[in-house]
Amino acid sequence: MAYQAVEKNVALGALESELEERRSRLAALETQVAQLQEVRAQQIRQVEAQRTQNVAQRLAYEALRVHLGLQEAALRRLEEEARDLLERLVQRKARAAAERNLRNERRERAKQARVSQELRKAAKRTVSISESPDTPGIGTKEKAEMTLTVPAEPQFLENEAGEKWKRPFRSASATSLTLSHCVDMMKGLLDFKKRRGHSIGGVPEQRYQSIPVCVAARLPTWAQDVLDAHLSEVNAVRFGPNSSLLATGGADCLIHLWNVVGGRLEANQTLEGASGSITSVDFDPSGSQVLAATYSRAAHLWKVGEAQSKETLTGHTDKVTAAKFKLTRHQAVTGSRDRTVKEWDLGRAYCSRTINVFSYCNDVVCGDHVIISGHSDQKIRFWDSRAPRCTQVIPVQGRVTSLSLSHDHLHLLSCSRDNTLKVIDVRVSNIRQVFSADGFKCSSDWTKAVFSPDRSYALAGSGDGALYIWNVDTGKLESSLRGPHCAAVNAVAWCYSGSHVVSVDQARKAVLWR
């Protein structure tokens, strides 16, 4: 029994130690349970707060949706009112033009009637003519004043004019014939204008202005004027044919026209109506219209002097990256990121041809019968405007960002993302020269490079804010201009007279160089 008591004591001790261990574990678990309960309570409070916030946000969302519906309804009403106002304005302008033409025609008819009446009076007027003393067959006593009444019939006038050499004095019929002939010529000219479809008082068709011929372009050396041209990034710049008018387009959906006066850029006009960022601007050959490509999947056409867009060319399904006039003011070409190039008849505002390409189009230029497009797949494609096919493909290194065609249409300048410019001989379709320089960087897919008007130089802006100019004949870097630009230069333009250069950058600046 003593032995059993010892064994029982040993077993009891083991059980007591196990009990203590379990008690300690139980205390630890109880502490953990308390911590977990506290965490659970915190999470419950967070869930309740989140639910309250969700309810508030749902209510705010509903209020915003209701407000959006009201705003959309107000926008539709405003758009309808704008369309009605535009229609009334167009009708009023048409009525005013018709009334003005009618007044001018009445005035011209009255003027013609007055001239005809004066001619009839002049034809019936009696002219006193004195015989010359040297007239043979007439004596001194027979000298007397003779009165001659000039008939008004054309046949008699022609006979008198044909026989005037037989008379010793100049007949008044010759003068009458000259006046009649002049009047007939004027009437013929007026009738010719009418046959061409112009009323006498109508606005004459704008004729193309003569483009200055640049014999030798002047290298820019210093900045004449620096200004903030737009409210945000400036993407495009273009000179008009007369070299004194400049257009800039920016991400603020506006096009500003500037006059180059005395080495300064003076604001001329702001063209509105675009609903997206401007990516490209171009003047027609007469300088009377401006065409712009936008990120709103459309191109817009303005008439210089009118603030609102004249036509909107829609049909692309993605951003329009380039819009250029052809050699006539009535035709244009656009390129887009929807992998198409479109030809437009501006007279009827419709797409006359769609060219499907395999890559994004970043820029286009037009020659006599050729359309040249640069693409993101590192290729330049040539299209015959008279046939629906690609005539030539030239591969280059890097995505093509811009194209510039020389004035003689014999050389093409391309800029690409491999930080090089390439001169392509259009006649043989091969790369003639490659330009690069230390520090030059093509910073975006819309960086524009141009030829000088005489094709002696190639100009491009860099990502470091500098302008680089290469000599086309030697292939060497002619100069680099630094200073005003503190951001990447997006586009450059060289005026047709060769005297000025304008550059625009991503920091809203436009710089006039001379």
Side-chain angles (χ1 to χ4, degrees):
M1 290 177 65
Y3 179 74
Q4 288 179 358
V6 171
E7 288 182 350
K8 294 295 184 180
N9 287 330
V10 171
L12 181 61
L15 290 174
E16 288 178 351
S17 63
E18 185 178 356
L19 179 61
E20 291 295 331
E21 182 180 357
R22 288 187 177 183
R23 285 177 178 173
S24 62
R25 288 178 59 191
L26 179 61
L29 290 174
E30 288 177 350
T31 304
Q32 187 176 1
V33 167
Q35 293 176 353
L36 291 175
Q37 287 178 349
E38 184 179 358
V39 171
R40 179 175 177 273
Q42 292 178 356
Q43 290 181 349
I44 288 174
R45 289 192 296 270
Q46 290 179 358
V47 168
E48 292 298 331
Q50 192 68 34
R51 285 177 180 173
T52 305
Q53 186 178 359
N54 288 342
V55 171
Q57 289 182 350
R58 187 177 293 109
L59 293 175
Y61 170 73
E62 293 295 335
L64 287 175
R65 189 169 63 178
V66 172
H67 182 66
L68 176 62
L70 296 176
Q71 293 292 331
E72 287 180 347
L75 177 62
R76 285 193 293 271
R77 287 196 305 272
L78 290 175
E79 288 178 347
E80 292 176 358
E81 292 177 1
R83 284 195 295 269
D84 294 339
L85 289 174
L86 183 61
E87 290 178 0
R88 289 201 295 269
L89 178 63
V90 171
Q91 292 174 1
R92 183 175 297 178
K93 285 187 175 180
R95 288 196 300 269
E99 292 176 359
R100 186 168 56 251
N101 289 338
L102 183 60
R103 286 197 302 269
N104 292 334
E105 288 179 0
R106 288 176 179 173
R107 188 181 301 114
E108 189 63 28
R109 284 197 293 268
K111 184 178 179 181
Q112 290 181 359
R114 190 165 54 252
V115 171
S116 300
Q117 185 177 3
E118 291 178 357
L119 288 176
R120 284 194 296 271
K121 289 181 179 179
K124 294 179 180 179
R125 188 178 303 162
T126 300
V127 181
S128 297
I129 302 174
S130 298
E131 290 289 349
S132 174
D134 300 330
T135 304
I138 300 179
T140 306
K141 295 182 179 180
E142 295 175 317
K143 294 177 182 178
E145 291 187 355
M146 300 175 61
T147 58
L148 176 64
T149 303
V150 182
E153 288 80 359
Q155 183 70 29
F156 185 81
L157 290 177
E158 292 179 2
N159 294 337
E160 291 283 27
E163 296 177 357
K164 68 177 182 178
W165 60 274
K166 299 179 181 179
R167 301 188 178 184
F169 56 88
R170 183 176 179 181
S171 171
S173 62
T175 307
S176 301
L177 177 63
T178 305
L179 291 174
S180 302
H181 184 63
C182 292
V183 171
D184 292 338
M185 288 179 62
M186 291 299 297
K187 288 183 178 179
L189 290 175
L190 295 175
D191 293 338
F192 176 72
K193 284 188 177 181
K194 289 183 179 179
R195 288 194 299 270
R196 288 185 58 122
H198 300 289
S199 64
I200 302 300
V203 179
E205 181 181 359
Q206 177 118 15
R207 298 183 180 274
Y208 290 171
Q209 300 176 0
S210 59
I211 298 177
V213 178
C214 178
V215 179
R218 179 187 303 170
L219 274 177
T221 56
W222 58 286
Q224 269 193 315
D225 194 13
V226 181
L227 51 85
D228 290 335
H230 287 260
L231 301 177
S232 57
E233 180 178 356
V234 189
N235 298 326
V237 60
R238 188 80 171 182
F239 271 102
N242 60 1
S243 298
S244 63
L245 187 62
L246 178 77
T248 59
D252 56 0
C253 308
L254 297 176
I255 292 179
H256 292 308
L257 298 183
W258 310 85
N259 289 327
V260 181
V261 180
R264 296 284 182 180
L265 293 177
E266 296 183 357
N268 179 306
Q269 187 184 2
T270 298
L271 305 181
E272 302 174 349
S275 56
S277 176
I278 307 296
T279 59
S280 170
V281 294
D282 190 30
F283 283 95
D284 75 333
S286 68
S288 61
Q289 296 183 113
V290 177
L291 181 66
T294 67
Y295 272 8
S296 59
R297 299 182 295 180
H300 295 269
L301 180 67
W302 287 268
K303 186 175 181 180
V304 175
E306 298 179 0
Q308 292 298 323
S309 175
K310 175 184 175 183
E311 295 288 350
T312 300
L313 308 179
T314 58
H316 287 288
T317 59
D318 205 338
K319 301 173 182 177
V320 181
T321 54
K324 300 290 179 63
F325 283 99
K326 299 183 76 173
L327 299 184
T328 171
R329 60 183 294 185
H330 303 295
Q331 292 179 315
V333 176
T334 58
S336 171
R337 292 181 66 86
D338 63 359
R339 298 182 175 87
T340 63
V341 175
K342 291 181 179 289
E343 293 186 65
W344 300 87
D345 185 339
L346 300 180
R348 291 178 284 181
Y350 86 104
C351 177
S352 59
R353 179 188 179 192
T354 299
I355 302 172
N356 294 307
V357 201
F358 300 106
S359 177
Y360 297 156
C361 177
N362 289 330
D363 201 6
V364 295
V365 292
C366 305
D368 292 331
H369 299 290
V370 66
I371 299 171
I372 309 173
S373 56
H375 299 270
S376 294
D377 62 353
Q378 306 180 11
K379 292 180 181 178
I380 299 174
R381 293 176 170 87
F382 292 72
W383 310 87
D384 191 340
S385 60
R386 299 164 296 182
R389 63 186 181 88
C390 179
T391 60
Q392 183 73 27
V393 178
I394 299 178
V396 294
Q397 298 297 323
R399 295 191 298 273
V400 180
T401 65
S402 75
L403 299 173
S404 175
L405 194 63
S406 62
H407 290 293
D408 57 7
H409 295 179
L410 299 180
H411 295 85
L412 178 71
L413 178 67
S414 70
C415 180
S416 54
R417 290 305 298 271
D418 62 347
N419 302 326
T420 62
L421 274 66
K422 301 173 182 65
V423 177
I424 299 172
D425 193 331
V426 178
R427 293 166 294 186
V428 294
S429 299
N430 65 349
I431 298 176
R432 174 184 168 188
Q433 287 175 316
V434 178
F435 300 140
S436 62
D438 294 337
F440 173 72
K441 182 180 179 181
C442 181
S443 59
S444 64
D445 287 347
W446 52 87
T447 300
K448 299 295 187 290
V450 296
F451 272 126
S452 64
D454 60 352
R455 198 188 57 78
S456 299
Y457 305 102
L459 170 66
S462 174
D464 60 357
L467 269 62
Y468 290 80
I469 305 175
W470 289 269
N471 190 308
V472 176
D473 295 329
T474 63
K476 296 180 180 180
L477 181 67
E478 193 74 24
S479 65
S480 60
L481 306 176
R482 301 177 183 273
H485 290 295
C486 57
V489 177
N490 283 334
V492 291
W494 207 317
C495 71
Y496 288 89
S497 61
S499 58
H500 292 90
V501 167
V502 172
S503 56
V504 294
D505 64 13
Q506 296 179 3
R508 307 182 300 168
K509 279 186 171 40
V511 180
L512 176 66
W513 302 83
R514 184 179 177 86

